[in-house]
Structure formats: structure tokens, C-alpha cells
Amino acid sequence: MENKFAFAKDLVYKAGAYILEHMEEGLEVEEKTCATDLVTQMDKNVQALLVSEILKHYPNDAIFAEEGQLKEDIEVGSVWVIDPIDGTANFVAQGYDFAVMVAYYENGIGQFGIIYDVMRDEMYHGGGQFDVKCNDKVLKPFRNRPLKRFLIASNAGMLERNDWGVADLTKDCLGARAYGSAAISFSRILQGRLLTYITYLYPWDYAAALILGEKLGYQVMTLDGAKPDYKTRQGIMMLPKEKISELQEYIYRRGEN
Amino acid sequence: MENKFAFAKDLVYKAGAYILEHMEEGLEVEEKTCATDLVTQMDKNVQALLVSEILKHYPNDAIFAEEGQLKEDIEVGSVWVIDPIDGTANFVAQGYDFAVMVAYYENGIGQFGIIYDVMRDEMYHGGGQFDVKCNDKVLKPFRNRPLKRFLIASNAGMLERNDWGVADLTKDCLGARAYGSAAISFSRILQGRLLTYITYLYPWDYAAALILGEKLGYQVMTLDGAKPDYKTRQGIMMLPKEKISELQEYIYRRGEN
């Protein structure tokens, strides 16, 4: 597993270097399902780079990736979960606050996760048998504080509609932030900067964070309190295990608007 | 003016170094007007450092600062506008995404502005007779794109209530972000990463950005289209001059909810 983990980190750094090299070229943006769901040629190229290197080194492994048809069952066998660029809208409009994410599962059990914030050059990596680090620095496990001393992250639409009581929760916290990227939001949780992140996500959006967070006292669950299905887009939150019952008071009993 | 500008940049770097040195000490937080309006001993100490150095070097200049009673008229004489730590909630809860801001006015005309993002070590400086730079890099003026290719920033509460039609505007843009700091939001506009920032602000929150933005094609105005009063908390936006009429369609005609 150590070799596989080292290979994965090298590969994700390569993907980041590829992005930096090609960023300045005009981004060809096409619209997927709607105008805010952008996919660029870069997403496709970065995914192709990741997939081809993984299958060259591990030809028997399976892939579950954002773009295209590679959607193997995460809970069966050795599976790489790939989000080539998380935060595509930020990538297109800001050239900032996006990340490459890779997670590796064996029979549904997370072995390691990697979130690489390319512009800040910060790699969050570890989980399973590995320490969770940001670059070379070991990250500290969750430390409890009163709700009023924590910020949360969500997205603007959920806050507007008070989906799942997220606006109510905000009022009893220090405030809400919206960064426009699951990877960036999760990495701030891992740094102890946010209490929770609540939004609608696909498995490639949460797979790496789930593995990383597990070792620091966090859990990823659906907004009605179940295990994520690793297949569809669901209402998802990552939160400290210690705070589950406190946050249940806001989230689970309220439901979606 | 060059000496004054160089003095100001050195002083703001000193303030940043002071913050980094003392950050790890437990922050004594007290509540000002409400729980989300935090003031820490650090704000007070940083302001005291800035004010004492300014008055030592320029004993005849006046001060308009966030904390305490120093509220001279910005539009009369030589006035320094100071926000010792913008983004206090971020500072307290995240230790990230906060900034020191200083602006210098002569008879109401901005001479230079400084926004120092301490944790990223990025200083935005210039305006008046000086180029606008981030550290050593000259920033580019605003470049137009369609609304759908721009992100905007506001705050979670305004988005929830659709104050001034900000949620309507979001729907015709690529999305909304909420960073919890005027300085951080303004600095992203200066980088070309955001179209506009819309929120309620005091003069120390917008004074530096107004001077910096002016040189890159931006304007700071109240949400009903007037010049800010440099005295009270007002609904404020910074936006590209080229986009004023387009954004007026959303903001000015709607008003506050």
C-alpha cells in the first residue's frame, strides 16, 4: 500500500503541473447539464492523464471517475475514485480554489485520499494506515468548541432556500461561507477552520475527504443520517463525530425544502 | 507621497508580523454589538501599533479607524483610514482569510490603499499616482466577459433574503461566493476573480479597495447608486464601471427587502 500511496501522490502532483502548464491557454468551456455545471477540456485531459497512468501501473484496478463512462462499483475490488478538477466554476472564473482529488478503496474500505489544492500548492493526503498531512505537516484531530465559535460552509442556493435547515444552523454558528468547491471546503475542515460542510455531492466529490476525515474524528454521511451510497448525487455533510447529535437537531429533523 | 507610501507599506508589514507572532496565544474574544461582531484584543493591539507609528511620523495627520473613538472626517485634510483586522470572525474561527487595511486620503481624494492578506502573504497596494500591485506583480485592469462567466461575492444573510436583488443577480451569473471578509473579497476583484462584491460596510472596510479599484476600472458606490458617505455603515458594492448599467438592472431597482 505504501508504494501505491507514493505513486498516487506523484501522479496527482503531475496532474497539478499539467494544469498549471496549460491554464493560460484559453479554456474551452462547454455546458454539461446547465450553465453552472461546466466541464472544460482541461477536466477531460486531466482525467485521461490520471486514468492512463493508473491503468498502466495497476491494470487490474477499477476506476470511478467524474467525466465519461468510467463508473465501476466503489464497494467491489480495488477502485480509484477520481475528480480531475473539483470546483470547475472557480477554475474557469477565478483560476483559483480548485483541486485534484483521488481516493483509493479496497472492497469499499478507504485506503488513502488525496486533495491537491493546486494554486496554494497544498496537498492533503493520508487516511487508512497513513497519517493525515497537509504537505509535510501532520494535521490535528478535531477539537471541540461551542457552536458559536465555528463557521460552516454550504452553497448559496441551499442557504437561500434554508434546505435541510442549513440557514437555521448558520444563525446559531458564527456564520456561513460559500467557497464553490467541495475540495476547498473539506480541506478547511481538515485544517480545523470549519465545523461542517453541507451540500449536494457525487461520490467523487466526497470520497477522498471521507477517508482523510475519518482519521481526524470526522464522518461523512447523508443529510438524513445514512451512509452515502457511493453511486448517486446526495445531500451530504462532513461533520465531527462528537457533534453529530448537536447538528442532528438542525439538519435531520428539518429535511429538504 | 512616495515616502509616505513606502512608510505605510512597511508599517502594514510590521502589523502583519505582529499578528503572526501573537496568533497562537489564546485569543481573548469579546462581543461588541452581537455574537458575530467580534473584537479581539488583537484588533485593538494592531490598531494601537498602526496609530502610534503614524502619529509619531506624521503628528499632524488625522485618523479614522475601526476600533474606539478615532473618527476624523475623511474628507477634510490628511486622513489615514485603518481597519486593523478585517474578517475578525475568520481570524477567530479559521486563523485565515483576514487582512490589515490602510488607506490614505487628502481632502477626500484617495492617495493610496493597502490590503494585506496576512496568511497568504499577499499585499495589494497602490492607487492614486502608484501602480496597483499584488506584491511585485502589476495587476491588470478589468476585462469584460458575459455575466454568465463571472462569480460574485456577497454574504450569506443577503443571499438568503435576496436583499437588493443579489440572489437574482447570482442566478444570471456563474454563482455566488461568501468569504466572510471585505478585504479578501475585494482582493479577489482586483485579481479579476470576481465581478463584484455586494454587502453592508463601514468606511474602513471599503476605503483602501476604493482607491485600488479606481485605477483598474472599478467603482465603489452605495447600492442605490450614490457616492459612499465615508461616515456610516451602508449597502456598498464595488463593480466595474463598464458593468454599472448592466448591474443596475438587478440592484438599484430592487432595493432592500
Side-chain angles (χ1 to χ4, degrees):
Chain A
M1 193 60 63
E2 271 172 44
N3 289 343
K4 218 164 201 175
F5 184 42
F7 160 80
K9 287 188 284 186
D10 282 352
L11 179 56
V12 172
Y13 276 126
K14 261 184 223 167
Y18 177 90
I19 293 170
L20 286 174
E21 223 172 280
H22 295 85
M23 256 179 99
E24 296 297 317
E25 302 164 15
L27 290 164
E28 273 178 65
V29 177
E30 67 182 59
E31 294 185 4
K32 270 198 301 198
T33 55
C34 67
T36 53
D37 186 13
L38 298 163
V39 60
T40 62
Q41 193 56 46
M42 187 79 92
D43 291 72
K44 292 175 184 172
N45 294 350
V46 174
Q47 180 170 314
L49 184 156
L50 293 166
V51 170
S52 70
E53 288 290 312
I54 289 169
L55 294 181
K56 196 164 87 188
H57 286 78
Y58 303 101
N60 300 319
D61 286 3
I63 309 271
F64 185 94
E66 179 174 14
E67 310 299 335
Q69 303 307 317
L70 292 161
K71 299 281 189 290
E72 299 291 337
D73 188 338
I74 294 175
E75 301 190 270
V76 179
S78 301
V79 188
W80 296 76
V81 186
I82 296 173
D83 189 346
I85 300 181
D86 181 79
T88 310
N90 285 346
F91 178 69
V92 169
Q94 308 206 64
Y96 198 77
D97 273 350
F98 60 88
V100 181
M101 292 200 282
V102 167
Y104 177 66
Y105 284 79
E106 290 189 347
N107 298 314
I109 297 168
Q111 304 297 316
F112 55 77
I114 299 170
I115 299 175
Y116 182 38
D117 178 339
V118 176
M119 299 312 291
R120 289 185 186 82
D121 191 21
E122 289 182 349
M123 182 178 280
Y124 297 82
H125 57 93
Q129 63 182 266
F130 306 105
D131 281 341
V132 176
K133 297 182 182 177
C134 173
N135 295 343
D136 293 331
K137 196 183 139 210
V138 177
L139 296 177
K140 292 179 187 144
F142 172 73
R143 280 173 298 182
N144 210 348
R145 289 180 262 166
L147 223 47
K148 261 292 171 218
R149 288 286 170 271
F150 274 115
L151 294 162
I152 69 163
S154 184
N155 71 69
M158 287 185 80
L159 290 163
E160 267 170 63
R161 295 184 304 266
N162 195 21
D163 281 2
W164 296 88
V166 68
D168 299 336
L169 172 60
T170 300
K171 284 179 187 64
D172 287 351
C173 295
L174 196 49
R177 302 288 179 259
Y179 300 112
S181 156
I184 298 302
S185 305
F186 285 135
S187 68
R188 288 188 183 230
I189 294 178
L190 299 173
Q191 289 269 21
R193 292 175 181 159
L194 294 174
L195 176 65
T196 182
Y197 175 53
I198 302 171
T199 194
Y200 302 103
L201 294 176
Y202 286 101
W204 50 80
D205 295 316
Y206 61 75
L210 184 152
I211 301 171
L212 290 160
E214 173 74 25
K215 273 204 97 137
L216 301 179
Y218 295 92
Q219 189 157 335
V220 170
M221 50 172 69
T222 68
L223 296 183
D224 44 19
K227 192 185 155 199
D229 68 11
Y230 291 113
K231 287 181 177 62
T232 63
R233 185 167 183 267
Q234 296 182 288
I236 291 284
M237 70 194 296
M238 178 153 128
L239 74 176
K241 287 172 196 168
E242 271 184 69
K243 289 284 204 193
I244 290 176
S245 61
E246 200 175 348
L247 296 184
Q248 269 180 331
E249 291 297 312
Y250 298 87
I251 302 300
Y252 306 153
R253 72 168 181 209
R254 170 97 190 200
E256 191 166 4
N257 272 351
Chain B
M1 193 60 65
E2 271 172 44
N3 289 343
K4 218 165 203 175
F5 184 42
F7 161 80
K9 287 188 285 185
D10 282 352
L11 179 57
V12 172
Y13 276 126
K14 258 184 225 167
Y18 177 90
I19 292 170
L20 285 175
E21 220 173 285
H22 295 84
M23 255 179 98
E24 298 297 317
E25 301 165 14
L27 290 164
E28 273 178 66
V29 177
E30 68 184 55
E31 295 183 5
K32 269 200 301 199
T33 56
C34 67
T36 54
D37 185 17
L38 297 164
V39 60
T40 61
Q41 192 56 44
M42 186 79 88
D43 290 71
K44 292 177 185 171
N45 294 350
V46 173
Q47 180 170 314
L49 183 156
L50 293 167
V51 170
S52 71
E53 287 290 313
I54 289 169
L55 294 180
K56 195 163 85 188
H57 286 79
Y58 303 102
N60 300 320
D61 286 2
I63 308 272
F64 185 94
E66 179 174 13
E67 310 299 335
Q69 303 307 316
L70 292 162
K71 299 280 189 289
E72 298 293 335
D73 189 339
I74 293 176
E75 301 190 88
V76 179
S78 301
V79 188
W80 296 76
V81 187
I82 295 173
D83 189 348
I85 299 182
D86 181 78
T88 310
N90 284 345
F91 177 70
V92 169
Q94 306 206 66
Y96 197 77
D97 274 349
F98 60 89
V100 181
M101 292 200 282
V102 167
Y104 177 66
Y105 283 78
E106 290 189 349
N107 297 315
I109 297 168
Q111 305 296 317
F112 55 77
I114 299 170
I115 299 175
Y116 184 38
D117 177 341
V118 177
M119 299 312 290
R120 287 185 188 84
D121 191 22
E122 289 181 348
M123 182 179 280
Y124 297 82
H125 57 93
Q129 63 180 269
F130 305 105
D131 282 340
V132 176
K133 298 181 182 176
C134 173
N135 295 343
D136 293 330
K137 195 183 140 212
V138 177
L139 296 178
K140 294 180 185 141
F142 172 72
R143 281 172 297 182
N144 210 348
R145 287 181 264 165
L147 223 48
K148 261 292 171 217
R149 289 285 170 271
F150 275 116
L151 293 163
I152 70 164
S154 183
N155 72 67
M158 286 185 82
L159 290 164
E160 268 169 62
R161 295 183 305 265
N162 194 21
D163 281 3
W164 296 88
V166 69
D168 300 336
L169 173 60
T170 300
K171 284 179 187 61
D172 287 350
C173 294
L174 196 50
R177 301 288 178 261
Y179 300 113
S181 155
I184 298 302
S185 305
F186 285 134
S187 68
R188 287 187 184 233
I189 294 179
L190 299 172
Q191 289 270 19
R193 292 175 180 158
L194 294 174
L195 175 65
T196 182
Y197 175 52
I198 302 171
T199 194
Y200 301 103
L201 295 177
Y202 286 100
W204 49 80
D205 295 316
Y206 60 74
L210 184 153
I211 301 171
L212 291 160
E214 174 73 26
K215 272 206 98 135
L216 301 179
Y218 295 93
Q219 190 158 333
V220 169
M221 49 172 69
T222 69
L223 296 184
D224 44 19
K227 192 186 155 199
D229 69 10
Y230 290 113
K231 288 181 173 63
T232 62
R233 186 168 182 265
Q234 296 181 288
I236 291 285
M237 68 192 299
M238 177 153 129
L239 75 177
K241 287 172 195 167
E242 273 184 68
K243 290 284 204 193
I244 289 175
S245 61
E246 199 175 350
L247 295 184
Q248 269 180 332
E249 291 296 312
Y250 296 88
I251 303 301
Y252 305 154
R253 73 167 183 211
R254 171 99 190 199
E256 191 166 4
N257 273 351

